[in-house]
Amino acid sequence: MTAPTRQYQIRDLLLQLAPTEGYTVSPIESVRWLRSNRPLDSTPVLYEPGIVFVCQGRKRGFIGDRTLVYDARHYLVVAVPVPFTMETDASEEAPLLAAYLRLDPALAAEVALAIDYSGIAREDTLPGPAAPLGLEASPMDDRIEGSLLRFLEAMVDPVETAVLGPALLRELYFRVLCGAQGATLRSVLGERGHLGRIALALKRIHADYAERLDVSRLAREAGLGLAAFHAHFKAVTQTTPMQYLKSTRLHRARLLMLHKGMTAAAAADRVGYESASQFSREFRRLFGRTPQVEVARLKASFAIPEQDDEAFVSSH
């Protein structure tokens, strides 16, 4: 089967799985489908760890001086939650269609361990001394595309979803973990190297973002000296620990206003701001709009899916 044929089949399956605009949940908790009939202008986002397959349309991410493109020929792997800016291409005639796999840590770790024991993860496939970015777009290869097609074919049938879905999801994880970003993901899952240590600090920030966090403590918990911690944190996230904490609080507050109906003042207090006016200033600086205007814009664009309170901030 040729690559264009597979792409058409994948597109047609996602049209079935995502029949209406917005996010559609699947019977597998960590998987959801996206359909958007309109483009999304430049928007600051903070993706939770996962894998994004855009099967029609295009997304562009801007982080530092880099541009990441993920479309029918490129998939995105988010090893750790990293703030960046995103825009999308979509229309009524050619809606953006995507499958999003929120990383299942237990499943990913199980598959990664099996890969390591098998000897697939040779030394030359492991990350070097310099920590890679926490997210990266990679070319879609035939094996990953074939696994994605088989997974989607099963997901349109309730019986196949129940019987085959988990095994086919495991196969898809295996393909990604053996692919271009597999070594990066395995470093995070195994808490190895500088990326794995920074991932620990990010988990702490996301767990305790509303509290007063001390950078020296984060560095100690990551097993790094303060200078090394700052350097590796910046290499992975393209920002400083305190800037990252501020971004996390603001993204979380945006979700609370969008999905919980909180006022700006209430959301500011919930995420750890002592001053509502400071919150409003920093919110506008990050998002370019007041809280009220930004929330109204997102409601009109289906930009952010519903999330559990404990989930990482997400804006796929």
Side-chain angles (χ1 to χ4, degrees):
M1 185 186 301
T2 64
T5 300
R6 282 197 301 268
Q7 289 170 30
Y8 291 139
Q9 290 181 318
I10 288 171
R11 179 202 62 189
D12 290 345
L13 289 165
L14 271 171
L15 285 170
Q16 295 180 57
L17 292 165
T20 58
E21 192 173 18
Y23 288 86
T24 301
V25 297
S26 85
I28 297 179
E29 184 180 3
S30 63
V31 177
R32 59 178 176 254
W33 323 115
L34 168 64
R35 178 178 183 146
S36 178
N37 298 340
R38 67 200 83 178
L40 180 67
D41 293 334
S42 180
T43 301
V45 295
L46 181 56
Y47 277 14
E48 60 184 312
I51 307 157
V52 185
F53 296 102
V54 175
C55 305
Q56 180 169 273
R58 178 176 289 109
K59 286 177 176 272
R60 285 177 296 275
F62 306 96
I63 178 169
D65 59 356
R66 302 177 69 242
T67 300
L68 307 176
V69 176
Y70 42 123
D71 53 18
R73 297 308 304 153
H74 301 83
Y75 64 99
L76 185 77
V77 171
V78 184
V80 295
V82 175
F84 66 106
T85 301
M86 179 196 70
E87 61 185 31
T88 66
D89 296 337
S91 67
E92 290 276 357
E93 298 74 24
L96 185 139
L97 300 167
Y100 172 60
L101 280 57
R102 188 178 70 226
L103 193 69
D104 181 331
L107 175 58
E110 177 189 340
V111 175
L113 187 62
I115 291 171
D116 286 342
Y117 276 136
S118 74
I120 293 173
R122 303 182 306 273
E123 282 299 317
D124 61 349
T125 69
L126 297 175
L133 280 174
L135 75 164
E136 186 63 85
S138 299
M140 179 84 83
D141 63 40
D142 289 343
R143 289 187 172 186
I144 292 178
E145 193 170 64
S147 293
L148 177 61
L149 175 58
R150 286 190 291 276
F151 178 63
L152 296 178
E153 285 174 334
M155 295 301 290
V156 298
D157 182 283
V159 175
E160 290 196 11
T161 295
V163 177
L164 300 177
L168 291 170
L169 181 62
R170 179 186 173 89
E171 178 191 340
L172 195 48
Y173 269 61
F174 172 78
R175 296 301 181 197
V176 172
L177 284 164
C178 289
Q181 296 307 306
T184 297
L185 270 175
R186 293 197 301 271
S187 292
V188 172
L189 292 166
E191 299 178 356
R192 299 194 300 260
H194 296 135
L195 180 58
R197 293 181 180 188
I198 296 304
L200 287 174
L202 296 179
K203 288 180 182 178
R204 166 69 73 178
I205 290 173
H206 280 274
D208 299 330
Y209 61 86
E211 308 299 326
R212 292 181 179 273
L213 289 176
D214 180 71
V215 177
S216 297
R217 179 184 174 187
L218 291 173
R220 286 195 304 272
E221 291 179 352
L224 292 168
L226 191 57
F229 178 75
H230 274 282
H232 292 302
F233 195 101
K234 184 69 176 289
V236 171
T237 67
Q238 301 295 290
T239 189
T240 67
M242 287 297 99
Q243 288 171 332
Y244 186 94
L245 172 60
K246 182 188 297 184
S247 177
T248 300
R249 286 174 170 171
L250 293 170
H251 279 281
R252 175 60 67 176
R254 184 171 65 165
L255 279 180
L256 291 172
M257 290 184 286
L258 181 63
H259 293 313
K260 305 298 182 184
M262 286 190 177
T263 64
D269 180 69
R270 176 71 65 86
V271 301
Y273 273 87
E274 296 179 358
S275 166
S277 60
Q278 180 186 1
F279 167 79
S280 293
R281 286 194 304 272
E282 294 183 351
F283 188 99
R284 185 160 191 166
R285 190 176 300 129
L286 176 61
F287 297 113
R289 300 171 181 86
T290 65
Q292 293 80 4
V293 172
E294 173 67 359
V295 169
R297 183 182 75 94
L298 294 178
K299 285 181 177 178
S301 69
F302 299 101
I304 301 184
E306 186 74 56
Q307 289 290 315
D308 295 332
D309 287 343
E310 298 304 316
F312 281 145
V313 178
S314 173
S315 179
H316 295 284

